[in-house]
Amino acid sequence: RPAAVGGTHISTFRQVVSRHGLVMGAMALVLGSLPGTYEQVASTTTRFMHNPTVYLLAGTLLLAFFVVYQTRKGNRTGPANNLWLIYLLYISVVEELAFRLFLPIVLADAMHFYAAAFISNVIFAAIHYVTLRWRWRNCVFVFVGGMGFAHMLANHQDLIAVILAHWFFTFLNTPTPPAGL
């Protein structure tokens, strides 16, 4: 994506990983070290733990869809593309942990769940602006999507399903890696 006015264009895979992936991974690690997070991960992954085959099949079908989609669009395939798909899964995992599970847990001690989800997703969208130098309009879509994922997690208590949905929508938003490594 082009940078906002005055922003730096992020044009390589390394830039995306260092500016976005490391920041989001660090957020997940720091927030995951707070009290109560392990219990929340455990309670929102019980369906996966009882029936991992369904989730592994869903993940495999998503991956097959991604490859077919890219091939039909004439996009290049190869090691860089495979790393991109892995990166999109990684970012889906750490963002869901940090912003749909851990941060709302921390904030929920002081406020209602949906207020905590709102604040968490404002922070989520703002971080995307800073790390990827997106336009504010794109950050609004990130915020709305994050609220949708928060609602999905609150209603279904299924973290793995939310991660798979995040992976799907992140792929649709950015189906190919940046041109350079």
Side-chain angles (χ1 to χ4, degrees), residues 5 21 27 38 46 49 59 62 69 72 81-82 88 100-101 111 114 122 127 135 141 149 160:
V5 176
M27 291 284 297
Y38 175 79
T46 54
M49 298 306 286
L62 277 175
Y69 180 92
R72 294 186 63 61
N81 192 62
N82 296 341
L88 295 179
R100 254 58 78 196
L101 198 62
M111 62 190 70
Y114 279 106
V122 166
I127 288 174
R135 290 176 168 74
F141 290 115
F149 292 141
I160 305 305

Side-chain angles (χ1 to χ4, degrees), residues 16 20 23 30 33 35 39-40 64 70 102 119 139 142 146 170:
V16 171
H20 181 246
V23 168
V30 168
S33 69
E39 292 80 11
Q40 285 297 315
Q70 290 174 326
F102 299 157
I119 291 170
C139 294
V142 168
T170 301

Side-chain angles (χ1 to χ4, degrees), residues 18-86:
S18 66
R19 292 185 66 154
H20 181 246
L22 292 179
V23 168
M24 295 304 189
M27 291 284 297
L29 280 174
V30 168
L31 292 168
S33 69
L34 298 173
T37 56
Y38 175 79
E39 292 80 11
Q40 285 297 315
V41 170
S43 72
T44 58
T45 58
T46 54
R47 287 186 184 134
F48 171 76
M49 298 306 286
H50 288 109
N51 197 0
T53 306
V54 170
Y55 295 89
L56 295 173
L57 179 61
T60 302
L61 290 172
L62 277 175
L63 193 55
F65 169 77
F66 299 161
V67 170
V68 169
Y69 180 92
Q70 290 174 326
T71 303
R72 294 186 63 61
K73 292 286 187 180
N75 298 328
R76 65 185 189 280
T77 58
N81 192 62
N82 296 341
L83 282 174
W84 184 248
L85 296 176
I86 292 167

